[in-house]
Amino acid sequence: MAITTDHTRAVADGAHSHGVVPAGSRAERKTSFDLADIPVPTGREEEWRFSPVARLQPLFAEDLGAGGVLTTVVEAPEAKVEIVGKDDARLGTTGKPGDRTAVTAWNAAQEATVITLPAEAVASDVTSVRVEGVTKDVTAQHLLVRAEHHAEGVVVIDHRGDAMLNQTVEIVVEDGAHLTLVSVQDWTDGAVHASSHRARVGRDAKLKHVVVTFGGDVVRITPDATFTAEGGEVEMVGLYFADTDQHQEHRLFVDHAVPRCKSRVTYKGALQGVGAHTVWVGDVLIQAEAEGTDTYELNRNLVLSDGARADSVPNLEIETGEIDGAGHASATGRFDDEQLFYLMARGIPEVDARRLVVRGFFAELIEEIGVPSVRDRLIASIEAELEKSMSVITGIAPAAAGEAEQA
Amino acid sequence: MPTLEIRDLHVSVDTKEGPKPILRGVDLTINSGETHAIMGPNGSGKSTLASALAGHPKYQVTSGTVTLDGEDVLAMTVDERARAGLFLAMQYPVEVPGVSVANFLRTAKTAIDGEAPALRTWGKEVKAAMADLRIDAAFSERSVNEGFSGGEKKRHEILQMELFKPRFAILDETDSGLDVDALRVVSEGVNRAKQNTDVGVLLITHYTRILRYIKPDFVHVFVDGRIAEEGGPELAERLENEGYDRYVGTGTTMSA
């Protein structure tokens, strides 16, 4: 038996909230397909306490439309794409909704896009799902990604444009399958997006789950992963970059319900600008039966300027002592001026030095994502984010129109 | 001949209780090719001089001048000072996670020279300089200073001194924490740089042992924020025998 809880990397920025005990065990949280069971939140509930519920309000409504986004799938030759009615028996198998947006998304969606990697097929190309916001009509969407037994493949869901989207992404990884699922939130300003990812991971199956959030006003993603048989492995990787007045929230739940499964969670974020707010909550539950569990979760935040706030809450519940390892680490730090001094003392101008440090912060994670097209895109997005902050530092931000005439 | 000239330099450090004066009128002239050792007991202000010359934001120059060939160093930003030819080998080099040594060296060299180094020759040059300093080639791909031992960090500092070819190098207690082998390797590196580039060296140290490997032309004894005595190499020998007692009264001895 080896239980390790790594606090060595935690820093006292008020980010690592050991003092806050969630309302009961994660296992006891209400989940249901029924709207009546999960009422509209007030914002005081554990799962909503960091969220801007006012801005999410439209997504809590019972009736949501369907026309706000345009979804285009370009599938790998081996993959199969279907549009099915809500009564399709394959829907709803990954678990019940666990919060208000998840339950309204489930009930409002009338059809679903199902992507299947057939049994034993090895996809020769990435399957890309492009979700483009076209109107601000509040919209529900349901996606199901299935990797049948021993299938292998990569599915990238790419969100762009402006939308009010409430989404369910079901993920089924059957025995022996290896699935990489990437969700990129590259919305324009104004977009509001809630998404419940619910994954089931079978015997000896592997899910790599990647979340990348850059754009949108409010993005709240709640990936849940449950192991259904022994030998499963889940790797959850996330990267986010919040600017002025952006709210980016990632709440993860890994349910070790069966023995001998492994989970790794690594989320990293950068924040800049007044009102930039990120939330990371990582719940891991090791149930009494889950002997031989091996889990570790890490969240790191880099605060680049004043007025930004990062909340980081790892929660580990362990109901058995017979585990291989369980730990978490959380650290939120300000940009390190000593690093800046060191680099500048080598002749590197401040703008370039800052860029090096931020790139360095994300470098390892970007390599871990392992999907070349996503990696290149990510690097470009980080560069674009850095351009914004650099223009503040160097004072070359464009002046407000009309100012020149006033002067 | 390039000259680094420090005149009546007063420097304070920011503390919670407000600014605290550390340097109280330092006068020092270093010509290129010369090696000046600055010795002194702990707390005498040696490292403050190094950090203030490099422009660390924690230190405020309250009066005095520093010029490099007549150019006002104090008016320059930290990076401008480095590009003007000042190099500080730091006592506590900083870790920069995710930035590889190779990338860092190339970026800094490009910034200092104003143009990217020739791709082919640069790679060879770095490799050779690393081999000279007994730095394993695998360090190129490691993050800057991350997980380096104390000795590895100091060798990495001297590697930069050799590659960036500064006009004046300030070595801030580069010898501290080094075992004899590492001290020799690091000293050889400094001597190579002196030979190859005519760099002026300001060698800050608490102990005399590094002066057996790097011969100073001048020795300055630093006490209470200013230079208390100056002389040639023979002054170091006397300090070796007598310690700093005569300057600071009782309690402080040299444990070289």
Side-chain angles (χ1 to χ4, degrees), chain B residues 19-43:
Chain B
K20 180 184 167 199
I22 305 281
L23 300 187
R24 304 154 186 273
V26 177
D27 289 294
L28 191 59
T29 302
I30 306 168
N31 296 307
S32 67
E34 293 177 354
T35 298
H36 293 246
I38 293 200
M39 307 195 61
N42 287 330

mmCIF file with all atom_site columns, all heavy atoms in Angstrom, chain B residues 19-43:
data_model
loop_
_atom_site.group_PDB
_atom_site.id
_atom_site.type_symbol
_atom_site.label_atom_id
_atom_site.label_alt_id
_atom_site.label_comp_id
_atom_site.label_asym_id
_atom_site.label_entity_id
_atom_site.label_seq_id
_atom_site.pdbx_PDB_ins_code
_atom_site.Cartn_x
_atom_site.Cartn_y
_atom_site.Cartn_z
_atom_site.occupancy
_atom_site.B_iso_or_equiv
_atom_site.pdbx_formal_charge
_atom_site.auth_seq_id
_atom_site.auth_comp_id
_atom_site.auth_asym_id
_atom_site.auth_atom_id
_atom_site.pdbx_PDB_model_num
ATOM 1   N N   . PRO B 1 19 ? 13.995 51.463 1.830   1.00 0.00 ? 19 PRO B N   1
ATOM 2   C CA  . PRO B 1 19 ? 15.306 51.280 1.210   1.00 0.00 ? 19 PRO B CA  1
ATOM 3   C C   . PRO B 1 19 ? 16.439 51.260 2.245   1.00 0.00 ? 19 PRO B C   1
ATOM 4   O O   . PRO B 1 19 ? 16.445 52.047 3.190   1.00 0.00 ? 19 PRO B O   1
ATOM 5   C CB  . PRO B 1 19 ? 15.438 52.479 0.269   1.00 0.00 ? 19 PRO B CB  1
ATOM 6   C CG  . PRO B 1 19 ? 14.375 53.430 0.652   1.00 0.00 ? 19 PRO B CG  1
ATOM 7   C CD  . PRO B 1 19 ? 13.356 52.727 1.474   1.00 0.00 ? 19 PRO B CD  1
ATOM 8   N N   . LYS B 1 20 ? 17.354 50.322 2.048   1.00 0.00 ? 20 LYS B N   1
ATOM 9   C CA  . LYS B 1 20 ? 18.461 50.186 2.984   1.00 0.00 ? 20 LYS B CA  1
ATOM 10  C C   . LYS B 1 20 ? 19.761 50.367 2.203   1.00 0.00 ? 20 LYS B C   1
ATOM 11  O O   . LYS B 1 20 ? 20.021 49.629 1.239   1.00 0.00 ? 20 LYS B O   1
ATOM 12  C CB  . LYS B 1 20 ? 18.400 48.781 3.581   1.00 0.00 ? 20 LYS B CB  1
ATOM 13  C CG  . LYS B 1 20 ? 19.495 48.468 4.582   1.00 0.00 ? 20 LYS B CG  1
ATOM 14  C CD  . LYS B 1 20 ? 19.371 47.007 5.029   1.00 0.00 ? 20 LYS B CD  1
ATOM 15  C CE  . LYS B 1 20 ? 20.622 46.569 5.772   1.00 0.00 ? 20 LYS B CE  1
ATOM 16  N NZ  . LYS B 1 20 ? 20.746 45.107 5.834   1.00 0.00 ? 20 LYS B NZ  1
ATOM 17  N N   . PRO B 1 21 ? 20.588 51.342 2.584   1.00 0.00 ? 21 PRO B N   1
ATOM 18  C CA  . PRO B 1 21 ? 21.825 51.592 1.827   1.00 0.00 ? 21 PRO B CA  1
ATOM 19  C C   . PRO B 1 21 ? 22.798 50.427 2.000   1.00 0.00 ? 21 PRO B C   1
ATOM 20  O O   . PRO B 1 21 ? 23.015 49.956 3.118   1.00 0.00 ? 21 PRO B O   1
ATOM 21  C CB  . PRO B 1 21 ? 22.388 52.865 2.472   1.00 0.00 ? 21 PRO B CB  1
ATOM 22  C CG  . PRO B 1 21 ? 21.316 53.399 3.354   1.00 0.00 ? 21 PRO B CG  1
ATOM 23  C CD  . PRO B 1 21 ? 20.411 52.280 3.701   1.00 0.00 ? 21 PRO B CD  1
ATOM 24  N N   . ILE B 1 22 ? 23.382 49.976 0.897   1.00 0.00 ? 22 ILE B N   1
ATOM 25  C CA  . ILE B 1 22 ? 24.350 48.881 0.936   1.00 0.00 ? 22 ILE B CA  1
ATOM 26  C C   . ILE B 1 22 ? 25.715 49.367 0.439   1.00 0.00 ? 22 ILE B C   1
ATOM 27  O O   . ILE B 1 22 ? 26.713 49.227 1.126   1.00 0.00 ? 22 ILE B O   1
ATOM 28  C CB  . ILE B 1 22 ? 23.895 47.688 0.058   1.00 0.00 ? 22 ILE B CB  1
ATOM 29  C CG1 . ILE B 1 22 ? 22.495 47.216 0.472   1.00 0.00 ? 22 ILE B CG1 1
ATOM 30  C CG2 . ILE B 1 22 ? 24.919 46.553 0.162   1.00 0.00 ? 22 ILE B CG2 1
ATOM 31  C CD1 . ILE B 1 22 ? 22.424 46.348 1.690   1.00 0.00 ? 22 ILE B CD1 1
ATOM 32  N N   . LEU B 1 23 ? 25.721 49.922 -0.754  1.00 0.00 ? 23 LEU B N   1
ATOM 33  C CA  . LEU B 1 23 ? 26.985 50.449 -1.291  1.00 0.00 ? 23 LEU B CA  1
ATOM 34  C C   . LEU B 1 23 ? 27.091 51.929 -0.926  1.00 0.00 ? 23 LEU B C   1
ATOM 35  O O   . LEU B 1 23 ? 26.148 52.696 -1.095  1.00 0.00 ? 23 LEU B O   1
ATOM 36  C CB  . LEU B 1 23 ? 27.060 50.266 -2.814  1.00 0.00 ? 23 LEU B CB  1
ATOM 37  C CG  . LEU B 1 23 ? 26.982 48.830 -3.337  1.00 0.00 ? 23 LEU B CG  1
ATOM 38  C CD1 . LEU B 1 23 ? 27.255 48.786 -4.843  1.00 0.00 ? 23 LEU B CD1 1
ATOM 39  C CD2 . LEU B 1 23 ? 27.953 47.908 -2.602  1.00 0.00 ? 23 LEU B CD2 1
ATOM 40  N N   . ARG B 1 24 ? 28.283 52.310 -0.438  1.00 0.00 ? 24 ARG B N   1
ATOM 41  C CA  . ARG B 1 24 ? 28.469 53.669 0.069   1.00 0.00 ? 24 ARG B CA  1
ATOM 42  C C   . ARG B 1 24 ? 29.656 54.334 -0.589  1.00 0.00 ? 24 ARG B C   1
ATOM 43  O O   . ARG B 1 24 ? 30.607 54.736 0.073   1.00 0.00 ? 24 ARG B O   1
ATOM 44  C CB  . ARG B 1 24 ? 28.713 53.616 1.579   1.00 0.00 ? 24 ARG B CB  1
ATOM 45  C CG  . ARG B 1 24 ? 27.617 52.913 2.357   1.00 0.00 ? 24 ARG B CG  1
ATOM 46  C CD  . ARG B 1 24 ? 28.164 52.330 3.648   1.00 0.00 ? 24 ARG B CD  1
ATOM 47  N NE  . ARG B 1 24 ? 27.172 51.523 4.348   1.00 0.00 ? 24 ARG B NE  1
ATOM 48  C CZ  . ARG B 1 24 ? 26.282 52.025 5.204   1.00 0.00 ? 24 ARG B CZ  1
ATOM 49  N NH1 . ARG B 1 24 ? 26.251 53.295 5.488   1.00 0.00 ? 24 ARG B NH1 1
ATOM 50  N NH2 . ARG B 1 24 ? 25.405 51.236 5.778   1.00 0.00 ? 24 ARG B NH2 1
ATOM 51  N N   . GLY B 1 25 ? 29.596 54.419 -1.923  1.00 0.00 ? 25 GLY B N   1
ATOM 52  C CA  . GLY B 1 25 ? 30.648 55.138 -2.624  1.00 0.00 ? 25 GLY B CA  1
ATOM 53  C C   . GLY B 1 25 ? 31.752 54.227 -3.131  1.00 0.00 ? 25 GLY B C   1
ATOM 54  O O   . GLY B 1 25 ? 32.847 54.200 -2.596  1.00 0.00 ? 25 GLY B O   1
ATOM 55  N N   . VAL B 1 26 ? 31.422 53.460 -4.185  1.00 0.00 ? 26 VAL B N   1
ATOM 56  C CA  . VAL B 1 26 ? 32.407 52.541 -4.770  1.00 0.00 ? 26 VAL B CA  1
ATOM 57  C C   . VAL B 1 26 ? 33.071 53.209 -5.968  1.00 0.00 ? 26 VAL B C   1
ATOM 58  O O   . VAL B 1 26 ? 32.395 53.743 -6.844  1.00 0.00 ? 26 VAL B O   1
ATOM 59  C CB  . VAL B 1 26 ? 31.729 51.226 -5.212  1.00 0.00 ? 26 VAL B CB  1
ATOM 60  C CG1 . VAL B 1 26 ? 32.741 50.305 -5.887  1.00 0.00 ? 26 VAL B CG1 1
ATOM 61  C CG2 . VAL B 1 26 ? 31.079 50.536 -4.020  1.00 0.00 ? 26 VAL B CG2 1
ATOM 62  N N   . ASP B 1 27 ? 34.409 53.186 -5.970  1.00 0.00 ? 27 ASP B N   1
ATOM 63  C CA  . ASP B 1 27 ? 35.182 53.672 -7.118  1.00 0.00 ? 27 ASP B CA  1
ATOM 64  C C   . ASP B 1 27 ? 36.017 52.516 -7.653  1.00 0.00 ? 27 ASP B C   1
ATOM 65  O O   . ASP B 1 27 ? 36.747 51.877 -6.897  1.00 0.00 ? 27 ASP B O   1
ATOM 66  C CB  . ASP B 1 27 ? 36.124 54.809 -6.696  1.00 0.00 ? 27 ASP B CB  1
ATOM 67  C CG  . ASP B 1 27 ? 35.380 56.083 -6.384  1.00 0.00 ? 27 ASP B CG  1
ATOM 68  O OD1 . ASP B 1 27 ? 34.784 56.654 -7.324  1.00 0.00 ? 27 ASP B OD1 1
ATOM 69  O OD2 . ASP B 1 27 ? 35.354 56.479 -5.204  1.00 0.00 ? 27 ASP B OD2 1
ATOM 70  N N   . LEU B 1 28 ? 35.869 52.269 -8.962  1.00 0.00 ? 28 LEU B N   1
ATOM 71  C CA  . LEU B 1 28 ? 36.582 51.130 -9.541  1.00 0.00 ? 28 LEU B CA  1
ATOM 72  C C   . LEU B 1 28 ? 36.676 51.336 -11.049 1.00 0.00 ? 28 LEU B C   1
ATOM 73  O O   . LEU B 1 28 ? 35.700 51.718 -11.690 1.00 0.00 ? 28 LEU B O   1
ATOM 74  C CB  . LEU B 1 28 ? 35.786 49.853 -9.239  1.00 0.00 ? 28 LEU B CB  1
ATOM 75  C CG  . LEU B 1 28 ? 36.431 48.498 -9.521  1.00 0.00 ? 28 LEU B CG  1
ATOM 76  C CD1 . LEU B 1 28 ? 37.716 48.325 -8.728  1.00 0.00 ? 28 LEU B CD1 1
ATOM 77  C CD2 . LEU B 1 28 ? 35.444 47.380 -9.149  1.00 0.00 ? 28 LEU B CD2 1
ATOM 78  N N   . THR B 1 29 ? 37.865 51.111 -11.587 1.00 0.00 ? 29 THR B N   1
ATOM 79  C CA  . THR B 1 29 ? 38.050 51.197 -13.037 1.00 0.00 ? 29 THR B CA  1
ATOM 80  C C   . THR B 1 29 ? 38.642 49.890 -13.535 1.00 0.00 ? 29 THR B C   1
ATOM 81  O O   . THR B 1 29 ? 39.659 49.428 -13.022 1.00 0.00 ? 29 THR B O   1
ATOM 82  C CB  . THR B 1 29 ? 38.989 52.351 -13.412 1.00 0.00 ? 29 THR B CB  1
ATOM 83  O OG1 . THR B 1 29 ? 38.450 53.573 -12.910 1.00 0.00 ? 29 THR B OG1 1
ATOM 84  C CG2 . THR B 1 29 ? 39.152 52.463 -14.927 1.00 0.00 ? 29 THR B CG2 1
ATOM 85  N N   . ILE B 1 30 ? 37.963 49.284 -14.503 1.00 0.00 ? 30 ILE B N   1
ATOM 86  C CA  . ILE B 1 30 ? 38.432 48.017 -15.053 1.00 0.00 ? 30 ILE B CA  1
ATOM 87  C C   . ILE B 1 30 ? 38.672 48.207 -16.546 1.00 0.00 ? 30 ILE B C   1
ATOM 88  O O   . ILE B 1 30 ? 37.778 48.637 -17.274 1.00 0.00 ? 30 ILE B O   1
ATOM 89  C CB  . ILE B 1 30 ? 37.393 46.897 -14.859 1.00 0.00 ? 30 ILE B CB  1
ATOM 90  C CG1 . ILE B 1 30 ? 37.005 46.795 -13.381 1.00 0.00 ? 30 ILE B CG1 1
ATOM 91  C CG2 . ILE B 1 30 ? 37.928 45.566 -15.351 1.00 0.00 ? 30 ILE B CG2 1
ATOM 92  C CD1 . ILE B 1 30 ? 35.802 45.926 -13.147 1.00 0.00 ? 30 ILE B CD1 1
ATOM 93  N N   . ASN B 1 31 ? 39.897 47.935 -16.979 1.00 0.00 ? 31 ASN B N   1
ATOM 94  C CA  . ASN B 1 31 ? 40.196 47.975 -18.406 1.00 0.00 ? 31 ASN B CA  1
ATOM 95  C C   . ASN B 1 31 ? 40.097 46.573 -18.982 1.00 0.00 ? 31 ASN B C   1
ATOM 96  O O   . ASN B 1 31 ? 40.238 45.584 -18.264 1.00 0.00 ? 31 ASN B O   1
ATOM 97  C CB  . ASN B 1 31 ? 41.608 48.522 -18.635 1.00 0.00 ? 31 ASN B CB  1
ATOM 98  C CG  . ASN B 1 31 ? 41.730 49.965 -18.182 1.00 0.00 ? 31 ASN B CG  1
ATOM 99  O OD1 . ASN B 1 31 ? 40.940 50.821 -18.587 1.00 0.00 ? 31 ASN B OD1 1
ATOM 100 N ND2 . ASN B 1 31 ? 42.703 50.235 -17.308 1.00 0.00 ? 31 ASN B ND2 1
ATOM 101 N N   . SER B 1 32 ? 39.836 46.495 -20.266 1.00 0.00 ? 32 SER B N   1
ATOM 102 C CA  . SER B 1 32 ? 39.700 45.173 -20.862 1.00 0.00 ? 32 SER B CA  1
ATOM 103 C C   . SER B 1 32 ? 41.020 44.416 -20.696 1.00 0.00 ? 32 SER B C   1
ATOM 104 O O   . SER B 1 32 ? 42.095 44.996 -20.674 1.00 0.00 ? 32 SER B O   1
ATOM 105 C CB  . SER B 1 32 ? 39.305 45.274 -22.335 1.00 0.00 ? 32 SER B CB  1
ATOM 106 O OG  . SER B 1 32 ? 40.352 45.831 -23.072 1.00 0.00 ? 32 SER B OG  1
ATOM 107 N N   . GLY B 1 33 ? 40.889 43.124 -20.542 1.00 0.00 ? 33 GLY B N   1
ATOM 108 C CA  . GLY B 1 33 ? 42.067 42.293 -20.338 1.00 0.00 ? 33 GLY B CA  1
ATOM 109 C C   . GLY B 1 33 ? 42.480 42.185 -18.882 1.00 0.00 ? 33 GLY B C   1
ATOM 110 O O   . GLY B 1 33 ? 43.228 41.278 -18.511 1.00 0.00 ? 33 GLY B O   1
ATOM 111 N N   . GLU B 1 34 ? 41.994 43.089 -18.054 1.00 0.00 ? 34 GLU B N   1
ATOM 112 C CA  . GLU B 1 34 ? 42.376 43.058 -16.642 1.00 0.00 ? 34 GLU B CA  1
ATOM 113 C C   . GLU B 1 34 ? 41.438 42.149 -15.839 1.00 0.00 ? 34 GLU B C   1
ATOM 114 O O   . GLU B 1 34 ? 40.265 42.021 -16.157 1.00 0.00 ? 34 GLU B O   1
ATOM 115 C CB  . GLU B 1 34 ? 42.298 44.460 -16.036 1.00 0.00 ? 34 GLU B CB  1
ATOM 116 C CG  . GLU B 1 34 ? 43.322 45.410 -16.606 1.00 0.00 ? 34 GLU B CG  1
ATOM 117 C CD  . GLU B 1 34 ? 43.178 46.826 -16.038 1.00 0.00 ? 34 GLU B CD  1
ATOM 118 O OE1 . GLU B 1 34 ? 42.202 47.094 -15.288 1.00 0.00 ? 34 GLU B OE1 1
ATOM 119 O OE2 . GLU B 1 34 ? 44.024 47.653 -16.358 1.00 0.00 ? 34 GLU B OE2 1
ATOM 120 N N   . THR B 1 35 ? 41.997 41.581 -14.795 1.00 0.00 ? 35 THR B N   1
ATOM 121 C CA  . THR B 1 35 ? 41.177 40.806 -13.864 1.00 0.00 ? 35 THR B CA  1
ATOM 122 C C   . THR B 1 35 ? 41.262 41.432 -12.475 1.00 0.00 ? 35 THR B C   1
ATOM 123 O O   . THR B 1 35 ? 42.365 41.582 -11.935 1.00 0.00 ? 35 THR B O   1
ATOM 124 C CB  . THR B 1 35 ? 41.644 39.341 -13.810 1.00 0.00 ? 35 THR B CB  1
ATOM 125 O OG1 . THR B 1 35 ? 41.494 38.767 -15.112 1.00 0.00 ? 35 THR B OG1 1
ATOM 126 C CG2 . THR B 1 35 ? 40.824 38.547 -12.807 1.00 0.00 ? 35 THR B CG2 1
ATOM 127 N N   . HIS B 1 36 ? 40.123 41.834 -11.990 1.00 0.00 ? 36 HIS B N   1
ATOM 128 C CA  . HIS B 1 36 ? 40.050 42.441 -10.657 1.00 0.00 ? 36 HIS B CA  1
ATOM 129 C C   . HIS B 1 36 ? 39.298 41.501 -9.735  1.00 0.00 ? 36 HIS B C   1
ATOM 130 O O   . HIS B 1 36 ? 38.174 41.104 -10.045 1.00 0.00 ? 36 HIS B O   1
ATOM 131 C CB  . HIS B 1 36 ? 39.286 43.768 -10.716 1.00 0.00 ? 36 HIS B CB  1
ATOM 132 C CG  . HIS B 1 36 ? 39.993 44.833 -11.482 1.00 0.00 ? 36 HIS B CG  1
ATOM 133 N ND1 . HIS B 1 36 ? 40.470 45.982 -10.900 1.00 0.00 ? 36 HIS B ND1 1
ATOM 134 C CD2 . HIS B 1 36 ? 40.332 44.915 -12.794 1.00 0.00 ? 36 HIS B CD2 1
ATOM 135 C CE1 . HIS B 1 36 ? 41.056 46.741 -11.832 1.00 0.00 ? 36 HIS B CE1 1
ATOM 136 N NE2 . HIS B 1 36 ? 40.975 46.107 -12.986 1.00 0.00 ? 36 HIS B NE2 1
ATOM 137 N N   . ALA B 1 37 ? 39.941 41.163 -8.626  1.00 0.00 ? 37 ALA B N   1
ATOM 138 C CA  . ALA B 1 37 ? 39.248 40.359 -7.629  1.00 0.00 ? 37 ALA B CA  1
ATOM 139 C C   . ALA B 1 37 ? 38.655 41.294 -6.584  1.00 0.00 ? 37 ALA B C   1
ATOM 140 O O   . ALA B 1 37 ? 39.319 42.222 -6.121  1.00 0.00 ? 37 ALA B O   1
ATOM 141 C CB  . ALA B 1 37 ? 40.200 39.377 -6.980  1.00 0.00 ? 37 ALA B CB  1
ATOM 142 N N   . ILE B 1 38 ? 37.389 41.044 -6.264  1.00 0.00 ? 38 ILE B N   1
ATOM 143 C CA  . ILE B 1 38 ? 36.772 41.775 -5.155  1.00 0.00 ? 38 ILE B CA  1
ATOM 144 C C   . ILE B 1 38 ? 36.522 40.788 -4.037  1.00 0.00 ? 38 ILE B C   1
ATOM 145 O O   . ILE B 1 38 ? 35.813 39.797 -4.215  1.00 0.00 ? 38 ILE B O   1
ATOM 146 C CB  . ILE B 1 38 ? 35.463 42.450 -5.589  1.00 0.00 ? 38 ILE B CB  1
ATOM 147 C CG1 . ILE B 1 38 ? 35.808 43.554 -6.580  1.00 0.00 ? 38 ILE B CG1 1
ATOM 148 C CG2 . ILE B 1 38 ? 34.711 42.984 -4.382  1.00 0.00 ? 38 ILE B CG2 1
ATOM 149 C CD1 . ILE B 1 38 ? 34.755 44.587 -6.754  1.00 0.00 ? 38 ILE B CD1 1
ATOM 150 N N   . MET B 1 39 ? 37.158 41.040 -2.934  1.00 0.00 ? 39 MET B N   1
ATOM 151 C CA  . MET B 1 39 ? 37.059 40.123 -1.807  1.00 0.00 ? 39 MET B CA  1
ATOM 152 C C   . MET B 1 39 ? 36.461 40.853 -0.627  1.00 0.00 ? 39 MET B C   1
ATOM 153 O O   . MET B 1 39 ? 36.575 42.068 -0.518  1.00 0.00 ? 39 MET B O   1
ATOM 154 C CB  . MET B 1 39 ? 38.440 39.582 -1.449  1.00 0.00 ? 39 MET B CB  1
ATOM 155 C CG  . MET B 1 39 ? 39.163 38.986 -2.648  1.00 0.00 ? 39 MET B CG  1
ATOM 156 S SD  . MET B 1 39 ? 40.560 37.995 -2.161  1.00 0.00 ? 39 MET B SD  1
ATOM 157 C CE  . MET B 1 39 ? 39.763 36.750 -1.182  1.00 0.00 ? 39 MET B CE  1
ATOM 158 N N   . GLY B 1 40 ? 35.854 40.078 0.239   1.00 0.00 ? 40 GLY B N   1
ATOM 159 C CA  . GLY B 1 40 ? 35.306 40.735 1.414   1.00 0.00 ? 40 GLY B CA  1
ATOM 160 C C   . GLY B 1 40 ? 34.434 39.804 2.195   1.00 0.00 ? 40 GLY B C   1
ATOM 161 O O   . GLY B 1 40 ? 34.009 38.755 1.689   1.00 0.00 ? 40 GLY B O   1
ATOM 162 N N   . PRO B 1 41 ? 34.179 40.164 3.420   1.00 0.00 ? 41 PRO B N   1
ATOM 163 C CA  . PRO B 1 41 ? 33.357 39.307 4.266   1.00 0.00 ? 41 PRO B CA  1
ATOM 164 C C   . PRO B 1 41 ? 31.902 39.305 3.796   1.00 0.00 ? 41 PRO B C   1
ATOM 165 O O   . PRO B 1 41 ? 31.488 40.168 3.012   1.00 0.00 ? 41 PRO B O   1
ATOM 166 C CB  . PRO B 1 41 ? 33.478 39.949 5.653   1.00 0.00 ? 41 PRO B CB  1
ATOM 167 C CG  . PRO B 1 41 ? 33.849 41.366 5.387   1.00 0.00 ? 41 PRO B CG  1
ATOM 168 C CD  . PRO B 1 41 ? 34.635 41.370 4.113   1.00 0.00 ? 41 PRO B CD  1
ATOM 169 N N   . ASN B 1 42 ? 31.128 38.357 4.299   1.00 0.00 ? 42 ASN B N   1
ATOM 170 C CA  . ASN B 1 42 ? 29.693 38.310 3.987   1.00 0.00 ? 42 ASN B CA  1
ATOM 171 C C   . ASN B 1 42 ? 29.034 39.608 4.406   1.00 0.00 ? 42 ASN B C   1
ATOM 172 O O   . ASN B 1 42 ? 29.374 40.181 5.444   1.00 0.00 ? 42 ASN B O   1
ATOM 173 C CB  . ASN B 1 42 ? 29.032 37.150 4.741   1.00 0.00 ? 42 ASN B CB  1
ATOM 174 C CG  . ASN B 1 42 ? 29.423 35.813 4.142   1.00 0.00 ? 42 ASN B CG  1
ATOM 175 O OD1 . ASN B 1 42 ? 29.685 35.709 2.941   1.00 0.00 ? 42 ASN B OD1 1
ATOM 176 N ND2 . ASN B 1 42 ? 29.494 34.794 4.983   1.00 0.00 ? 42 ASN B ND2 1
ATOM 177 N N   . GLY B 1 43 ? 28.121 40.052 3.567   1.00 0.00 ? 43 GLY B N   1
ATOM 178 C CA  . GLY B 1 43 ? 27.374 41.246 3.921   1.00 0.00 ? 43 GLY B CA  1
ATOM 179 C C   . GLY B 1 43 ? 28.096 42.544 3.642   1.00 0.00 ? 43 GLY B C   1
ATOM 180 O O   . GLY B 1 43 ? 27.616 43.621 3.996   1.00 0.00 ? 43 GLY B O   1
#
